[in-house]
């Protein structure tokens, strides 16, 4: 069959006007997102008008607004969601913050290719909708070269998609084509709560370290696989625990080393009528970059230094130990 073709267009515009004083504004932001395909795929369009009031002061700010959304795709919907951002300084370098938002998740073909290259090429994923998406936290500014961030949040999403291993026979012009084993979406209503913390250290100038720990809690309802309701659905392939450790060492103005370790545990998938717990992700990478001149630099990176064997998606293993390099030329 012919490959999928299409065009995506994004247009953004905004208008604002000060009132009362220079730090207070009223305005409206607007955006248009389209994904236009042929054949049997649903075209997608989202129009967003977002009026707001913005207030500011000494070490504090507030944006109060809403998004008015008109979406077409697998169906036509009009929705209104909050768009609120608050920040209050406690000290010069310590502040509380909160954001309350929501809206549609496009799930266009390009979006899904960014999520997983293993998705079945004939799969049209319908958009998801979050009636509320909240996060809040406490940022503690530099204390002897350390910064801290304690955070948490909650999101409620309808038509959340989860990608599961699935095979399909591709149709040719006259006879069935080859059998393809890929990922197919299933849908459910997802409630996601998270708590976590981050520490960033730069007490010794050449070395910069950051550690981020996040615990996720999921509740999934109304999930079906092959038109059968699942009695104990999970948030398939979404990690329950995440740890992300990053480091950068600047040996000189020309030479820099980097390190990244990522852990993801408590992942689940579903196959042949059963919930299956997946292997933990333990991914350690080391890299180096050398700046030869303002225009030319070299880089090298070694991946999966712990020689771990795990599936990124059930049935699709991660690449083993590998090394890659490249160069950058600016002109």
């Amino acid at each position: 069959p012919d490959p999928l073709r299409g065009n995506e267009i994004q247009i953004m515009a905004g208008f604002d006007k000060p009132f009362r004083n220079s730090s207070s504004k009223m305005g409206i932001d607007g955006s248009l997102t389209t994904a236009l395909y042929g054949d049997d795929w649903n075209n997608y369009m989202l129009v967003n008008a977002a009026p707001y009031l913005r207030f500011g002061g000494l070490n504090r700010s507030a944006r109060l607004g809403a998004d008015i959304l008109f979406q077409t795709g697998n169906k036509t919907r009009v929705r209104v969601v909050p768009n609120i951002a608050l920040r209050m300084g406690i000290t010069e370098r310590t502040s509380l913050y909160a954001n309350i938002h929501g809206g549609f998740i496009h799930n266009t073909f390009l979006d899904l290719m960014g999520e997983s290259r293993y998705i079945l090429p004939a799969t049209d994923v319908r958009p998801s909708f979050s009636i509320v998406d909240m996060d809040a936290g406490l940022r503690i500014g530099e204390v002897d070269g350390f910064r801290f961030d304690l955070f948490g949040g909650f999101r409620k999403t309808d038509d959340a998609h989860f990608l599961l291993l699935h095979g399909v026979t591709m149709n040719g012009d006259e006879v069935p084509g080859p059998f393809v084993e890929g990922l197919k979406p299933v849908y459910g209503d997802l409630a996601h709560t998270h708590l976590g913390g981050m520490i960033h250290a730069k007490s010794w100038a050449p070395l910069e370290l950051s550690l981020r720990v996040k615990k996720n809690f999921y509740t999934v309802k109304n999930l079906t696989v092959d038109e059968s309701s699942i009695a104990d659905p999970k948030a398939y392939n979404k990690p329950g625990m995440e740890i992300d450790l990053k480091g950068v060492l600047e040996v000189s103005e020309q030479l820099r080393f980097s390190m990244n370790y990522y852990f993801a545990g408590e992942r689940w998938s579903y196959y042949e009528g059963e919930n299956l717990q997946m292997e933990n992700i333990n991914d350690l990478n080391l890299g180096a970059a050398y700046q030869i001149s303002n225009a030319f630099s070299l880089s090298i990176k070694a991946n999966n230094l712990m020689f771990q064997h795990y599936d990124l998606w059930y049935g699709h293993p991660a690449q083993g130990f590998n090394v890659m390099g490249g160069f950058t030329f600016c002109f």
Side-chain angles (χ1 to χ4, degrees):
D2 293 334
L4 176 68
R5 294 182 176 88
N7 296 282
E8 291 197 13
I9 301 172
Q10 293 187 351
I11 301 173
M12 293 177 287
F15 171 80
D16 62 67
K17 179 179 177 58
F19 72 99
R20 297 202 320 191
N21 54 58
S22 59
S23 59
S24 298
K25 294 181 179 181
M26 59 188 305
I28 183 169
D29 292 331
S31 65
L32 169 68
T33 302
T34 66
L36 306 176
Y37 311 107
D39 302 325
D40 297 327
W41 280 60
N42 291 313
N43 293 331
Y44 176 81
M45 181 180 72
L46 177 67
V47 179
N48 179 13
Y52 65 88
L53 295 174
R54 179 174 292 157
F55 305 93
L58 182 62
N59 208 18
R60 66 184 186 275
S61 62
R63 173 191 167 119
L64 307 177
D67 288 5
I68 304 168
L69 305 165
F70 174 78
Q71 179 259 323
T72 64
N74 63 318
K75 54 185 174 181
T76 299
R77 293 179 284 187
V78 177
R79 296 288 188 269
V80 178
V81 295
N83 189 342
I84 297 171
L86 307 172
R87 179 183 171 275
M88 181 179 70
I90 300 175
T91 67
E92 182 180 355
R93 296 181 176 179
T94 300
S95 62
L96 293 168
Y97 67 90
N99 302 291
I100 306 173
H101 205 185
F104 287 99
I105 304 169
H106 307 313
N107 297 333
T108 66
F109 182 76
L110 288 181
D111 292 338
L112 268 295
M113 285 295 99
E115 182 176 343
S116 174
R117 62 189 178 92
Y118 302 115
I119 191 167
L120 290 171
T123 300
D124 187 1
V125 180
R126 61 182 183 242
S128 308
F129 175 71
S130 294
I131 183 61
V132 64
D133 184 0
M134 302 184 295
D135 68 278
L138 169 65
R139 290 194 178 106
I140 303 174
E142 287 197 17
V143 179
D144 296 328
F146 291 87
R147 290 188 288 120
F148 304 89
D149 189 356
L150 303 175
F151 56 83
F154 174 78
R155 171 188 280 188
K156 189 177 186 306
T157 305
D158 298 333
D159 282 337
H161 69 269
F162 309 94
L163 300 180
L164 300 180
L165 182 65
H166 182 83
V168 65
T169 299
M170 305 300 293
N171 294 322
D173 293 332
E174 298 179 356
V175 296
F179 182 81
V180 177
E181 192 174 69
L183 300 173
K184 181 180 179 180
V186 296
Y187 301 92
D189 298 331
L190 174 65
H192 174 201
T193 302
H194 71 269
L195 299 170
M198 187 273 291
I199 180 172
H200 181 272
K202 199 174 182 180
S203 55
W204 181 45
L207 179 63
E208 185 173 354
L209 294 171
S210 67
L211 173 65
R212 187 173 186 267
V213 179
K214 181 180 178 182
K215 174 63 177 176
N216 299 292
F217 305 90
Y218 305 102
T219 301
V220 181
K221 297 181 179 179
N222 304 322
L223 189 146
T224 60
V225 177
D226 296 329
E227 300 182 357
S228 297
S229 180
I230 305 303
D232 183 25
K234 306 285 188 182
Y236 297 120
N237 205 62
K238 296 185 180 296
M241 173 62 73
E242 294 177 275
I243 300 173
D244 195 359
L245 175 63
K246 297 180 180 179
V248 176
L249 175 63
E250 293 188 1
V251 178
S252 66
E253 292 184 359
Q254 291 78 32
L255 181 60
R256 182 179 67 174
F257 293 99
S258 62
M259 178 274 295
N260 176 235
Y261 169 72
Y262 177 69
F263 170 86
E266 303 172 26
R267 299 185 305 143
W268 292 84
S269 191
Y270 183 89
Y271 187 67
E272 293 187 342
E274 295 183 2
N275 287 326
L276 302 175
Q277 187 159 12
M278 300 174 64
E279 308 96 330
N280 295 335
I281 294 176
N282 283 283
D283 188 20
L284 175 63
N285 308 314
L286 294 178
Y290 185 73
Q291 187 81 29
I292 298 175
S293 67
N294 291 333
F296 192 74
S297 63
L298 299 174
S299 63
I300 188 170
K301 187 176 182 182
N303 304 298
N304 198 359
L305 285 167
M306 299 173 68
F307 299 92
Q308 295 291 293
H309 300 282
Y310 55 85
D311 284 358
L312 290 173
W313 309 86
Y314 184 73
H316 298 279
Q319 191 173 10
F321 171 76
N322 63 93
V323 178
M324 59 183 179
F327 66 89
T328 301
F329 180 68
C330 300
F331 57 91

